[in-house]
Amino acid sequence: MIKLSDRLQVIADEIKQGETVADIGTDHGLLPIFLYESGRSPRVILGDINQGPLEKAKENIAIHFGADALDSDGNHACGGALDLRLGSGLEPVASGETDVVVIAGMGGILMTEILGHDLNHAKSFRRLILQPRNGSHKLRWWLLQNGFQITAEHLVVERKYICEIMTVEPEKRTGTDVIPLPEDIPDETLDLEISPLLYESKDPLLVSFIKNKIRIEENVVGFVAEGTGEGEGHERIAAARKRLAALYAKLENAEAVMNDKTTGEEAES
Ligand SMILES: C[S@@+](CC[C@H](N)C(=O)[O-])C[C@H]1O[C@@H](n2cnc3c(N)ncnc32)[C@H](O)[C@@H]1O
């Protein structure tokens, strides 16, 4: 059986037994190979905007299932259970064609563009599993504004990064008009950046996740303070200090939750 990275395994574990999946931006195709090989998914669509990654996925399919697992057309494998499709975002997948859509390893803003390309199409699937490489707070804002509910959040370490994985369900609300991302998203409570769901689930990486953000902000304060400390620099330090205060409050709540002094809901209410 193929061994997934911890990140891809957390994504795989969000998929229920028997669910069909479209993996958009599949690249190496390792997630679809695991989902089919483990018997969790009877059918997986491997979508990618570039042919190169699909060729890579085919090589991995041949390694795991043998060269004769690929059909003569080269776009199907394992009797059609693995279905390779070239195209942008959800375009190569019909509405509701699979139960679940996975989009992992891309920027959060690109994900909003993929989902916003055709909102009704994006909402035709039962669940979406999203793992943005960056811009996760912007993605959360966009999802909540455009009629998606975030039902679960997970953190997982990959190399030196803590990755965020969101499970998302479309609301029944219809309408095709997309509410676009604004230039700036005020997030005074930091709830878009550090999901309250991580407190509820007592995610084991929550404290480290917040500490990483604190370290980055402290570096900003130290770096800018080395400059003039006047004018623009002064404003940047003031903004960083304000953000640090909010982050320390988040950290205190997280540590209390992890020490079981309070529930996640109380700490975040
Ligand atoms: C960094 S890889 C991520 C691979 C895999 N999903 C993972 O998480 O390990 C990103 C992949 O997304 C593909 N991609 C980028 N933009 C895309 C789009 N608009 N539609 C479909 N695939 C896209 C790229 O070609 C690349 O193969």
Side-chain angles (χ1 to χ4, degrees):
M1 175 87 66
I2 190 170
K3 172 97 178 80
L4 293 180
S5 67
D6 290 349
R7 176 182 65 91
L8 289 176
Q9 190 62 54
V10 170
I11 293 172
D13 289 345
E14 284 300 286
I15 290 148
K16 298 182 184 129
Q17 184 63 35
E19 283 183 323
T20 55
V21 176
D23 183 28
I24 303 304
T26 193
D27 195 9
H28 37 68
L30 298 180
L31 178 69
I33 291 171
F34 171 84
L35 291 172
Y36 177 67
E37 192 181 23
S38 64
R40 194 166 304 180
S41 300
R43 202 168 67 82
V44 187
I45 295 171
L46 296 81
D48 208 287
I49 197 169
N50 294 307
Q51 189 61 39
L54 290 181
E55 294 303 324
K56 208 189 304 176
K58 281 184 206 173
E59 279 171 28
N60 283 328
I61 288 170
I63 289 168
H64 284 280
F65 300 111
D68 54 2
L70 282 155
D71 287 6
S72 54
D73 70 359
N75 295 325
H76 296 88
C78 304
L82 297 178
D83 186 342
L84 297 101
R85 298 187 190 175
L86 182 66
S88 177
L90 295 170
E91 283 173 25
V93 185
S95 279
E97 190 179 355
T98 57
D99 299 311
V100 182
V101 164
V102 173
I103 313 180
M106 293 179 206
I109 295 177
L110 176 56
M111 290 185 188
T112 68
E113 288 163 2
I114 287 176
L115 300 176
H117 180 72
D118 182 344
L119 207 48
N120 280 339
H121 189 191
K123 288 185 179 177
S124 66
F125 304 93
R126 200 183 289 170
R127 249 176 17 268
L128 309 168
I129 322 273
L130 307 177
Q131 186 261 307
R133 283 241 171 265
N134 50 45
S136 58
H137 66 296
K138 293 187 176 175
L139 176 60
R140 284 190 193 92
W141 184 94
W142 187 94
L143 290 168
L144 299 174
Q145 295 297 320
N146 284 288
F148 295 86
Q149 197 193 352
I150 302 172
T151 57
E153 295 257 5
H154 295 278
L155 298 175
V156 61
V157 173
E158 184 170 78
R159 294 189 291 273
K160 57 181 183 164
Y161 299 105
I162 296 181
C163 303
E164 300 164 78
I165 295 166
M166 308 171 194
T167 302
V168 172
E169 288 179 19
E171 290 167 358
K172 290 283 168 279
R173 177 154 47 117
T174 51
T176 50
D177 288 344
V178 175
I179 300 174
L181 273 177
E183 276 285 298
D184 188 32
I185 299 174
D187 186 17
E188 307 261 312
T189 60
L190 298 184
D191 278 356
L192 287 172
E193 223 179 288
I194 305 163
S195 167
L197 293 177
L198 296 170
Y199 289 76
E200 278 175 36
S201 64
K202 298 188 183 194
D203 192 290
L205 286 169
L206 176 59
V207 167
S208 305
F209 184 59
I210 301 171
K211 281 185 176 169
N212 282 355
K213 288 178 183 287
I214 288 177
R215 205 170 304 126
I216 291 167
E217 221 53 56
E218 284 176 341
N219 284 343
V220 170
V221 172
F223 181 73
V224 181
E226 278 177 19
T228 63
E230 289 169 5
E232 201 183 311
H234 188 72
E235 276 170 30
R236 276 190 67 194
I237 290 182
R241 289 214 168 111
K242 192 169 165 209
R243 190 173 142 76
L244 264 177
L247 283 168
Y248 284 133
K250 279 276 186 197
L251 180 63
E252 197 179 321
N253 281 345
E255 285 174 336
V257 166
M258 298 314 284
N259 291 332
D260 250 338
K261 287 189 193 139
T262 180
T263 67
E265 271 173 53
E266 282 166 8
E268 281 301 283
S269 60

Short mmCIF file of all heavy atoms in Angstrom, two decimals, residues 184-218:
data_model
loop_
_atom_site.label_atom_id
_atom_site.label_comp_id
_atom_site.label_asym_id
_atom_site.label_seq_id
_atom_site.Cartn_x
_atom_site.Cartn_y
_atom_site.Cartn_z
N ASP A 184 -8.44 44.47 1.51
CA ASP A 184 -8.01 44.28 2.89
C ASP A 184 -9.14 43.59 3.66
O ASP A 184 -10.30 43.96 3.50
CB ASP A 184 -7.71 45.67 3.49
CG ASP A 184 -7.08 45.55 4.85
OD1 ASP A 184 -6.36 44.56 5.07
OD2 ASP A 184 -7.32 46.43 5.69
N ILE A 185 -8.80 42.62 4.47
CA ILE A 185 -9.84 41.95 5.27
C ILE A 185 -9.53 42.20 6.74
O ILE A 185 -8.59 41.60 7.28
CB ILE A 185 -9.87 40.43 4.98
CG1 ILE A 185 -10.19 40.21 3.51
CG2 ILE A 185 -10.88 39.74 5.86
CD1 ILE A 185 -10.11 38.77 3.09
N PRO A 186 -10.28 43.08 7.39
CA PRO A 186 -10.01 43.31 8.81
C PRO A 186 -10.30 42.04 9.60
O PRO A 186 -11.32 41.39 9.38
CB PRO A 186 -10.98 44.43 9.21
CG PRO A 186 -11.65 44.86 7.95
CD PRO A 186 -11.44 43.82 6.91
N ASP A 187 -9.38 41.65 10.46
CA ASP A 187 -9.55 40.40 11.23
C ASP A 187 -9.03 40.66 12.65
O ASP A 187 -8.09 40.01 13.11
CB ASP A 187 -8.76 39.27 10.53
CG ASP A 187 -9.00 37.91 11.18
OD1 ASP A 187 -10.00 37.77 11.92
OD2 ASP A 187 -8.19 37.00 10.95
N GLU A 188 -9.70 41.61 13.31
CA GLU A 188 -9.24 42.04 14.63
C GLU A 188 -9.19 40.88 15.63
O GLU A 188 -8.30 40.81 16.45
CB GLU A 188 -10.17 43.14 15.17
CG GLU A 188 -10.38 44.29 14.22
CD GLU A 188 -9.52 45.49 14.56
OE1 GLU A 188 -9.51 45.86 15.72
OE2 GLU A 188 -8.88 46.04 13.64
N THR A 189 -10.17 39.98 15.51
CA THR A 189 -10.22 38.86 16.46
C THR A 189 -9.31 37.71 16.03
O THR A 189 -9.12 36.77 16.78
CB THR A 189 -11.66 38.31 16.54
OG1 THR A 189 -12.02 37.85 15.23
CG2 THR A 189 -12.64 39.36 17.01
N LEU A 190 -8.78 37.80 14.84
CA LEU A 190 -7.91 36.76 14.25
C LEU A 190 -8.65 35.44 14.02
O LEU A 190 -8.03 34.41 13.82
CB LEU A 190 -6.67 36.52 15.10
CG LEU A 190 -5.71 37.70 15.26
CD1 LEU A 190 -4.47 37.26 16.05
CD2 LEU A 190 -5.26 38.24 13.93
N ASP A 191 -9.98 35.47 14.09
CA ASP A 191 -10.74 34.23 13.90
C ASP A 191 -10.65 33.67 12.48
O ASP A 191 -10.83 32.49 12.26
CB ASP A 191 -12.23 34.44 14.25
CG ASP A 191 -12.46 34.35 15.75
OD1 ASP A 191 -11.49 34.06 16.48
OD2 ASP A 191 -13.60 34.58 16.18
N LEU A 192 -10.36 34.57 11.51
CA LEU A 192 -10.20 34.07 10.14
C LEU A 192 -8.83 33.41 9.96
O LEU A 192 -8.65 32.56 9.10
CB LEU A 192 -10.33 35.22 9.13
CG LEU A 192 -11.73 35.76 8.90
CD1 LEU A 192 -11.68 37.01 8.04
CD2 LEU A 192 -12.63 34.72 8.24
N GLU A 193 -7.90 33.83 10.80
CA GLU A 193 -6.53 33.32 10.67
C GLU A 193 -6.32 32.08 11.53
O GLU A 193 -5.57 31.17 11.17
CB GLU A 193 -5.57 34.41 11.13
CG GLU A 193 -4.39 34.57 10.24
CD GLU A 193 -3.48 35.67 10.73
OE1 GLU A 193 -3.86 36.85 10.61
OE2 GLU A 193 -2.40 35.35 11.23
N ILE A 194 -6.96 32.09 12.70
CA ILE A 194 -6.82 30.96 13.63
C ILE A 194 -8.23 30.49 13.94
O ILE A 194 -8.93 31.07 14.76
CB ILE A 194 -6.08 31.40 14.91
CG1 ILE A 194 -4.73 32.03 14.54
CG2 ILE A 194 -5.88 30.22 15.85
CD1 ILE A 194 -4.11 32.86 15.64
N SER A 195 -8.64 29.46 13.26
CA SER A 195 -10.05 29.06 13.31
C SER A 195 -10.50 28.62 14.71
O SER A 195 -9.82 27.83 15.37
CB SER A 195 -10.28 27.89 12.34
OG SER A 195 -11.53 27.31 12.60
N PRO A 196 -11.66 29.12 15.17
CA PRO A 196 -12.21 28.65 16.45
C PRO A 196 -12.42 27.14 16.47
O PRO A 196 -12.41 26.52 17.55
CB PRO A 196 -13.56 29.39 16.55
CG PRO A 196 -13.39 30.60 15.70
CD PRO A 196 -12.47 30.21 14.59
N LEU A 197 -12.58 26.52 15.32
CA LEU A 197 -12.77 25.06 15.28
C LEU A 197 -11.54 24.31 15.81
O LEU A 197 -11.65 23.21 16.33
CB LEU A 197 -13.07 24.59 13.85
CG LEU A 197 -14.39 25.04 13.24
CD1 LEU A 197 -14.51 24.57 11.80
CD2 LEU A 197 -15.56 24.51 14.06
N LEU A 198 -10.36 24.94 15.70
CA LEU A 198 -9.14 24.30 16.20
C LEU A 198 -9.15 24.25 17.73
O LEU A 198 -8.54 23.36 18.34
CB LEU A 198 -7.90 25.07 15.71
CG LEU A 198 -7.67 25.07 14.20
CD1 LEU A 198 -6.57 26.06 13.83
CD2 LEU A 198 -7.31 23.68 13.70
N TYR A 199 -9.84 25.22 18.36
CA TYR A 199 -9.98 25.22 19.83
C TYR A 199 -10.96 24.13 20.23
O TYR A 199 -10.74 23.40 21.18
CB TYR A 199 -10.48 26.58 20.32
CG TYR A 199 -9.46 27.70 20.22
CD1 TYR A 199 -9.16 28.28 18.99
CD2 TYR A 199 -8.80 28.17 21.35
CE1 TYR A 199 -8.23 29.30 18.90
CE2 TYR A 199 -7.87 29.19 21.27
CZ TYR A 199 -7.59 29.75 20.04
OH TYR A 199 -6.66 30.76 19.95
N GLU A 200 -12.06 24.05 19.48
CA GLU A 200 -13.07 23.04 19.81
C GLU A 200 -12.51 21.64 19.73
O GLU A 200 -12.80 20.78 20.54
CB GLU A 200 -14.27 23.17 18.86
CG GLU A 200 -15.22 24.27 19.28
CD GLU A 200 -16.34 24.47 18.27
OE1 GLU A 200 -16.82 23.49 17.68
OE2 GLU A 200 -16.74 25.64 18.10
N SER A 201 -11.68 21.40 18.70
CA SER A 201 -11.13 20.04 18.53
C SER A 201 -9.85 19.84 19.32
O SER A 201 -9.28 18.76 19.31
CB SER A 201 -10.87 19.78 17.04
OG SER A 201 -9.87 20.67 16.56
N LYS A 202 -9.41 20.90 20.01
CA LYS A 202 -8.13 20.85 20.75
C LYS A 202 -7.02 20.31 19.86
O LYS A 202 -6.36 19.31 20.18
CB LYS A 202 -8.27 19.99 22.01
CG LYS A 202 -9.29 20.54 22.98
CD LYS A 202 -9.27 19.80 24.29
CE LYS A 202 -10.35 20.36 25.18
NZ LYS A 202 -10.25 19.99 26.55
N ASP A 203 -6.86 20.94 18.72
CA ASP A 203 -5.86 20.46 17.77
C ASP A 203 -4.48 20.47 18.43
O ASP A 203 -4.05 21.48 18.98
CB ASP A 203 -5.85 21.36 16.52
CG ASP A 203 -5.04 20.74 15.40
OD1 ASP A 203 -3.79 20.66 15.51
OD2 ASP A 203 -5.67 20.30 14.41
N PRO A 204 -3.76 19.34 18.38
CA PRO A 204 -2.47 19.25 19.07
C PRO A 204 -1.43 20.27 18.59
O PRO A 204 -0.47 20.55 19.29
CB PRO A 204 -1.98 17.83 18.77
CG PRO A 204 -3.16 17.10 18.22
CD PRO A 204 -4.15 18.09 17.72
N LEU A 205 -1.63 20.83 17.39
CA LEU A 205 -0.64 21.78 16.86
C LEU A 205 -1.06 23.24 17.05
O LEU A 205 -0.36 24.15 16.61
CB LEU A 205 -0.41 21.51 15.37
CG LEU A 205 0.41 20.26 15.06
CD1 LEU A 205 0.34 19.93 13.58
CD2 LEU A 205 1.86 20.44 15.49
N LEU A 206 -2.21 23.45 17.72
CA LEU A 206 -2.73 24.82 17.83
C LEU A 206 -1.74 25.77 18.50
O LEU A 206 -1.48 26.87 18.00
CB LEU A 206 -4.07 24.80 18.58
CG LEU A 206 -4.70 26.15 18.87
CD1 LEU A 206 -4.96 26.93 17.60
CD2 LEU A 206 -6.02 25.97 19.65
N VAL A 207 -1.17 25.34 19.63
CA VAL A 207 -0.26 26.22 20.37
C VAL A 207 0.97 26.55 19.52
O VAL A 207 1.37 27.71 19.40
CB VAL A 207 0.12 25.57 21.73
CG1 VAL A 207 1.29 26.30 22.37
CG2 VAL A 207 -1.08 25.58 22.67
N SER A 208 1.54 25.56 18.86
CA SER A 208 2.72 25.80 18.01
C SER A 208 2.36 26.72 16.85
O SER A 208 3.16 27.58 16.44
CB SER A 208 3.26 24.50 17.41
OG SER A 208 3.52 23.60 18.42
N PHE A 209 1.16 26.53 16.31
CA PHE A 209 0.69 27.34 15.18
C PHE A 209 0.66 28.82 15.58
O PHE A 209 1.13 29.69 14.84
CB PHE A 209 -0.70 26.84 14.80
CG PHE A 209 -1.33 27.48 13.59
CD1 PHE A 209 -0.72 27.43 12.35
CD2 PHE A 209 -2.56 28.11 13.70
CE1 PHE A 209 -1.32 28.01 11.24
CE2 PHE A 209 -3.17 28.68 12.60
CZ PHE A 209 -2.54 28.63 11.36
N ILE A 210 0.12 29.10 16.78
CA ILE A 210 0.04 30.50 17.23
C ILE A 210 1.44 31.02 17.57
O ILE A 210 1.79 32.16 17.24
CB ILE A 210 -0.91 30.63 18.44
CG1 ILE A 210 -2.31 30.12 18.07
CG2 ILE A 210 -0.99 32.08 18.92
CD1 ILE A 210 -3.27 30.01 19.24
N LYS A 211 2.24 30.16 18.20
CA LYS A 211 3.60 30.61 18.56
C LYS A 211 4.41 30.98 17.32
O LYS A 211 5.19 31.92 17.34
CB LYS A 211 4.33 29.51 19.36
CG LYS A 211 3.89 29.46 20.82
CD LYS A 211 4.70 28.45 21.60
CE LYS A 211 4.33 28.50 23.08
NZ LYS A 211 4.90 27.38 23.83
N ASN A 212 4.22 30.25 16.24
CA ASN A 212 4.90 30.59 14.98
C ASN A 212 4.52 32.00 14.52
O ASN A 212 5.35 32.77 14.07
CB ASN A 212 4.52 29.61 13.86
CG ASN A 212 5.24 28.30 13.98
OD1 ASN A 212 6.11 28.14 14.84
ND2 ASN A 212 4.89 27.35 13.13
N LYS A 213 3.23 32.30 14.62
CA LYS A 213 2.77 33.63 14.19
C LYS A 213 3.34 34.71 15.10
O LYS A 213 3.71 35.79 14.64
CB LYS A 213 1.23 33.68 14.21
CG LYS A 213 0.61 32.87 13.10
CD LYS A 213 -0.91 32.90 13.16
CE LYS A 213 -1.51 32.03 12.08
NZ LYS A 213 -1.39 32.60 10.73
N ILE A 214 3.42 34.41 16.40
CA ILE A 214 4.00 35.37 17.35
C ILE A 214 5.47 35.62 17.01
O ILE A 214 5.93 36.76 16.98
CB ILE A 214 3.83 34.85 18.80
CG1 ILE A 214 2.35 34.95 19.20
CG2 ILE A 214 4.73 35.62 19.77
CD1 ILE A 214 2.01 34.40 20.57
N ARG A 215 6.18 34.54 16.71
CA ARG A 215 7.61 34.68 16.38
C ARG A 215 7.80 35.59 15.16
O ARG A 215 8.65 36.47 15.15
CB ARG A 215 8.19 33.28 16.09
CG ARG A 215 9.69 33.21 16.33
CD ARG A 215 10.18 31.77 16.29
NE ARG A 215 9.49 30.89 17.21
CZ ARG A 215 8.89 29.74 16.89
NH1 ARG A 215 8.88 29.33 15.64
NH2 ARG A 215 8.30 29.00 17.80
N ILE A 216 6.95 35.39 14.16
CA ILE A 216 7.06 36.21 12.94
C ILE A 216 6.82 37.68 13.28
O ILE A 216 7.56 38.57 12.87
CB ILE A 216 6.05 35.73 11.87
CG1 ILE A 216 6.49 34.35 11.36
CG2 ILE A 216 5.94 36.72 10.72
CD1 ILE A 216 5.43 33.63 10.53
N GLU A 217 5.79 37.94 14.10
CA GLU A 217 5.44 39.33 14.43
C GLU A 217 6.52 39.96 15.30
O GLU A 217 6.85 41.14 15.13
CB GLU A 217 4.09 39.32 15.17
CG GLU A 217 3.15 40.41 14.79
CD GLU A 217 2.89 40.53 13.30
OE1 GLU A 217 2.46 39.54 12.69
OE2 GLU A 217 3.12 41.62 12.76
N GLU A 218 7.10 39.17 16.22
CA GLU A 218 8.18 39.71 17.06
C GLU A 218 9.39 40.08 16.20
O GLU A 218 10.07 41.06 16.46
CB GLU A 218 8.56 38.70 18.15
CG GLU A 218 7.53 38.67 19.27
CD GLU A 218 7.81 37.62 20.34
OE1 GLU A 218 8.57 36.67 20.07
OE2 GLU A 218 7.25 37.74 21.44
#
